[in-house]
Amino acid sequence: MAKIVIEKSVPLKGAVRISGAKNSALPLMAASLLSGERSVLHNVPRLRDVDTMKEIMEEIGAKIKREGDSFLIDTGNIHSIEAPYELVRKMRASILLLGPLLARCGRARISLPGGCAIGERPINLHLNALSSMGAEISLENGYINARAKRLKGAEIFFDIPTVTGTENTMMAACLAEGKTIIKNAAKEPEIADLADMLREMGADIEGDGTDKITIYGVKELRGAEHRIIPDRIEAGTFMIASVMTRGEVEIRECIPEHLGALIEKLEKVGAEIRVKKDSIFVKGPDVIKSVDIKTMPFPGFPTDLQAQFMAMMCIADGCSVIKETIFENRFMHVGELRRMGADIEVNGSQAIVKGKKHLLAAPVMATDLRASACLVLAGLVAEGGRTEVHRIYHLDRGYEMMENKFASLGAKIWRES
Ligand code: EPZ
């Protein structure tokens, strides 16, 4: 099994280029199924999750060819409407095929995505939205069976601003008959990126980025060419790494407006931050001040940066409170950080982190994607030897060549099989 080995790092220095966003690439790939014409995606990151989505789409008949950082996607001959269990269980975001297949083919059979380490991850809001658009949905043998001659526009209110629920509904509504209004919609930047591509395909959408999105269904959509936005979570991960190592790092090809909540917190931590149009310079302070965070839907502090921020608070000068409000079990990294000497007390959805002078190098185990990033960050500052992060297939799901990027900034980090 591969592992990543890290020694205590010198202050990171230099510039790092951010890859295309995983959580944009996945819905954009699914959206290409809404048209029988060819689409082209640029800035496609090299990630396991993207590979899995490619595999599932090829299973159902799409032809996808990588040319450098681009995907040429031919969806002219979709001959199956089934996303099989053995692939869906590898990546629950396969649920994003439900809306497009239903809208394009009138049917879809998707294995129910199970839960995962961070939570039960129900999809009731997705299914309720599609049912209110006229889809007949049944669950049998662990599969969702959905069918609809033609979906009809509806007014949908999400109890929770679900990101992929909003994306699934948007995609389905583009080809539905009439108008769909989504209230309490998610406002993450990936939603706006998807809406941009759907408009390039000929969809009639407005309000993306706000909590009310209106879609006027059209008869059919054309292929499109679209560049994927940069990954704000990868960018945030490197910003936190610069602070933790007291480094001076320029994060290139990012969108600072997507990182407002983190920037505000890092300034409170004592970092010096200079924002340009498409880059952010982060200089770490000598003393890392402890700061409380509470994860919230965008534009609040992103849950996908909670674990990384906790790693930084482990070496802060005081006590910080970290509240996780999005997922019910997203503290799996706490046990591993404790193995490195961290002082963290968990009460339900709240973790109290008592900052220490330093962490201690140790072998640790990744439990989920962002927890693995948190452990790499902890390894960069841990004293007394080498930190080994095991089960790094979690990391490869969402970070493109993370160790190479850190090594280019001066970190002593490498992969061992
Ligand atoms: C997306 O997951 C992201 N994944 C997650 O990133 C991210 O953490 C999450 O949004 C929150 O920002 C992708 O975009 C592929 P939700 P998603 O539906 O859409 C509950 C990463 O590390 N809920 O917004 O699955 C749910 O249980 C991943 O890159 C329902 O109850 O998240 C959760 O508590 C992890 N019923 C809350 O809503 C539903 O039908 C938010 O979930 C749907 C969701």
Side-chain angles (χ1 to χ4, degrees), residues 9-44:
S9 175
V10 295
L12 297 179
K13 285 220 178 6
V16 63
R17 179 193 168 275
I18 298 303
S19 302
K22 168 179 84 81
N23 291 349
S24 223
L26 299 176
L28 293 172
M29 288 171 73
S32 68
L33 291 167
L34 289 166
S35 166
E37 293 179 9
R38 200 175 87 159
S39 288
V40 179
L41 288 179
H42 298 298
N43 202 25
V44 183

Coordinates of all heavy atoms in Angstrom, one line a residue, residues 9-44:
S9 N 9.4 20.4 8.0 CA 9.8 21.2 6.8 C 10.4 22.5 7.2 O 10.1 23.0 8.3 CB 8.5 21.4 6.0 OG 8.8 22.3 4.9
V10 N 11.3 23.0 6.3 CA 11.7 24.4 6.5 C 10.5 25.2 6.1 O 9.5 24.7 5.5 CB 12.9 24.6 5.5 CG1 14.1 23.8 5.9 CG2 12.5 24.3 4.0
P11 N 10.5 26.5 6.4 CA 9.4 27.4 5.9 C 9.2 27.2 4.4 O 10.2 27.3 3.6 CB 9.9 28.8 6.3 CG 10.8 28.6 7.5 CD 11.5 27.3 7.2
L12 N 8.0 26.9 4.0 CA 7.7 26.7 2.6 C 7.9 28.0 1.8 O 7.6 29.1 2.4 CB 6.3 26.2 2.4 CG 6.0 24.8 3.0 CD1 4.5 24.5 2.7 CD2 6.9 23.8 2.4
K13 N 8.5 28.0 0.7 CA 8.8 29.2 -0.1 C 8.6 29.0 -1.6 O 8.9 27.9 -2.1 CB 10.2 29.7 0.1 CG 10.5 30.3 1.5 CD 11.4 31.5 1.4 CE 11.7 32.2 2.7 NZ 11.2 31.7 4.0
G14 N 8.0 29.9 -2.3 CA 7.8 29.8 -3.7 C 6.4 29.9 -4.1 O 5.6 30.5 -3.4
A15 N 6.1 29.4 -5.3 CA 4.7 29.6 -5.9 C 4.2 28.2 -6.3 O 4.9 27.3 -6.7 CB 4.8 30.5 -7.1
V16 N 2.9 28.1 -6.1 CA 2.3 26.8 -6.4 C 1.0 27.1 -7.3 O 0.3 28.0 -7.0 CB 1.9 26.0 -5.2 CG1 0.8 26.7 -4.3 CG2 1.4 24.6 -5.5
R17 N 0.8 26.3 -8.4 CA -0.3 26.5 -9.3 C -1.4 25.6 -8.8 O -1.3 24.4 -8.6 CB 0.1 26.1 -10.7 CG -1.0 26.3 -11.7 CD -0.7 25.6 -13.1 NE -1.9 25.6 -13.8 CZ -2.8 24.6 -13.7 NH1 -2.6 23.6 -12.9 NH2 -3.9 24.5 -14.5
I18 N -2.6 26.1 -8.7 CA -3.8 25.4 -8.3 C -4.4 24.7 -9.5 O -4.6 25.2 -10.5 CB -4.8 26.3 -7.5 CG1 -4.1 26.9 -6.3 CG2 -6.1 25.6 -7.2 CD1 -3.5 25.9 -5.3
S19 N -4.8 23.4 -9.3 CA -5.5 22.6 -10.3 C -7.0 22.9 -10.4 O -7.5 23.6 -9.6 CB -5.3 21.1 -10.0 OG -3.9 20.8 -9.9
G20 N -7.6 22.4 -11.4 CA -9.0 22.6 -11.6 C -9.8 21.9 -10.4 O -9.3 21.0 -9.8
A21 N -11.0 22.4 -10.1 CA -11.7 22.0 -9.0 C -12.4 20.7 -9.1 O -13.2 20.5 -10.1 CB -12.8 23.1 -8.6
K22 N -12.1 19.7 -8.2 CA -12.7 18.4 -8.2 C -14.2 18.6 -8.2 O -15.0 17.9 -9.0 CB -12.3 17.6 -7.0 CG -13.1 16.3 -6.8 CD -12.6 15.5 -5.6 CE -13.2 16.0 -4.3 NZ -14.5 15.5 -4.0
N23 N -14.7 19.4 -7.3 CA -16.2 19.5 -7.1 C -16.9 20.3 -8.1 O -18.1 20.5 -8.0 CB -16.5 20.0 -5.7 CG -16.1 19.0 -4.6 OD1 -15.8 17.8 -5.0 ND2 -16.0 19.3 -3.4
S24 N -16.1 20.8 -9.1 CA -16.7 21.4 -10.3 C -16.6 20.4 -11.5 O -17.5 20.2 -12.2 CB -15.9 22.6 -10.7 OG -16.8 23.7 -11.0
A25 N -15.4 19.7 -11.6 CA -15.2 18.8 -12.7 C -16.3 17.7 -12.7 O -16.8 17.4 -13.8 CB -13.8 18.2 -12.5
L26 N -16.7 17.2 -11.5 CA -17.6 16.1 -11.5 C -19.0 16.5 -12.0 O -19.5 15.8 -12.9 CB -17.7 15.5 -10.0 CG -16.3 14.9 -9.5 CD1 -16.5 14.5 -8.1 CD2 -15.8 13.8 -10.4
P27 N -19.6 17.5 -11.5 CA -20.9 17.9 -12.1 C -20.8 18.4 -13.5 O -21.7 18.1 -14.3 CB -21.4 19.1 -11.2 CG -20.2 19.5 -10.4 CD -19.3 18.4 -10.3
L28 N -19.7 19.0 -13.9 CA -19.6 19.4 -15.3 C -19.5 18.2 -16.3 O -20.1 18.2 -17.4 CB -18.3 20.3 -15.5 CG -18.4 21.7 -14.8 CD1 -17.0 22.4 -14.8 CD2 -19.5 22.6 -15.4
M29 N -18.8 17.2 -15.8 CA -18.7 16.0 -16.7 C -20.1 15.4 -16.8 O -20.6 15.0 -17.9 CB -17.8 14.9 -16.0 CG -16.3 15.3 -16.1 SD -15.3 14.2 -15.1 CE -15.3 12.7 -16.1
A30 N -20.9 15.3 -15.7 CA -22.2 14.8 -15.7 C -23.1 15.6 -16.6 O -23.9 15.1 -17.4 CB -22.8 14.7 -14.3
A31 N -22.9 17.0 -16.6 CA -23.8 17.9 -17.4 C -23.6 17.6 -18.9 O -24.6 17.8 -19.7 CB -23.4 19.3 -17.0
S32 N -22.4 17.1 -19.3 CA -22.2 16.9 -20.7 C -23.2 15.9 -21.3 O -23.5 15.9 -22.5 CB -20.8 16.5 -21.0 OG -20.6 15.2 -20.5
L33 N -23.8 15.1 -20.4 CA -24.7 14.0 -20.8 C -26.0 14.6 -21.3 O -26.9 13.9 -21.9 CB -25.0 13.0 -19.7 CG -23.8 12.1 -19.3 CD1 -24.1 11.4 -18.0 CD2 -23.5 11.1 -20.4
L34 N -26.3 15.9 -20.9 CA -27.6 16.5 -21.3 C -27.7 16.8 -22.8 O -28.8 17.1 -23.3 CB -27.7 17.8 -20.5 CG -27.9 17.7 -19.0 CD1 -27.7 19.0 -18.3 CD2 -29.3 17.1 -18.7
S35 N -26.6 16.7 -23.5 CA -26.6 16.9 -24.9 C -26.0 15.7 -25.6 O -25.1 15.1 -25.1 CB -25.8 18.2 -25.3 OG -25.6 18.2 -26.7
G36 N -26.4 15.5 -26.9 CA -25.8 14.4 -27.7 C -24.6 14.9 -28.4 O -23.9 14.2 -29.1
E37 N -24.3 16.2 -28.3 CA -23.2 16.8 -29.0 C -21.9 16.7 -28.2 O -22.0 16.6 -26.9 CB -23.5 18.2 -29.4 CG -24.6 18.4 -30.4 CD -24.9 19.8 -30.7 OE1 -24.1 20.7 -30.3 OE2 -25.9 20.1 -31.4
R38 N -20.8 16.9 -28.8 CA -19.5 16.8 -28.1 C -19.3 18.0 -27.3 O -19.6 19.1 -27.7 CB -18.4 16.6 -29.1 CG -17.1 16.0 -28.5 CD -16.1 15.8 -29.6 NE -15.3 17.0 -29.8 CZ -14.1 17.0 -30.4 NH1 -13.6 15.8 -30.9 NH2 -13.4 18.1 -30.5
S39 N -18.7 17.8 -26.1 CA -18.3 18.9 -25.2 C -16.8 18.8 -24.9 O -16.3 17.7 -25.0 CB -19.1 18.9 -23.9 OG -20.5 19.3 -24.1
V40 N -16.2 19.9 -24.6 CA -14.8 19.9 -24.2 C -14.7 20.7 -22.9 O -15.2 21.7 -22.7 CB -14.0 20.7 -25.3 CG1 -12.5 20.7 -24.9 CG2 -14.1 20.0 -26.6
L41 N -14.0 20.0 -21.9 CA -13.7 20.6 -20.6 C -12.2 20.9 -20.5 O -11.4 20.0 -20.9 CB -14.1 19.7 -19.5 CG -15.6 19.5 -19.3 CD1 -15.9 18.5 -18.1 CD2 -16.3 20.8 -19.0
H42 N -11.8 22.1 -20.1 CA -10.4 22.4 -19.9 C -10.1 22.5 -18.4 O -11.0 22.7 -17.6 CB -10.1 23.8 -20.6 CG -10.3 23.7 -22.1 ND1 -9.6 22.9 -23.0 CD2 -11.2 24.4 -22.9 CE1 -10.0 23.1 -24.2 NE2 -11.0 24.0 -24.2
N43 N -8.8 22.3 -18.1 CA -8.3 22.4 -16.7 C -8.9 21.3 -15.9 O -9.3 21.5 -14.7 CB -8.7 23.8 -16.1 CG -7.9 24.2 -14.9 OD1 -6.7 23.7 -14.8 ND2 -8.4 25.0 -14.0
V44 N -9.0 20.1 -16.5 CA -9.5 18.9 -15.8 C -8.4 18.4 -14.9 O -7.3 18.0 -15.4 CB -9.9 17.8 -16.8 CG1 -10.5 16.7 -16.0 CG2 -11.0 18.4 -17.8

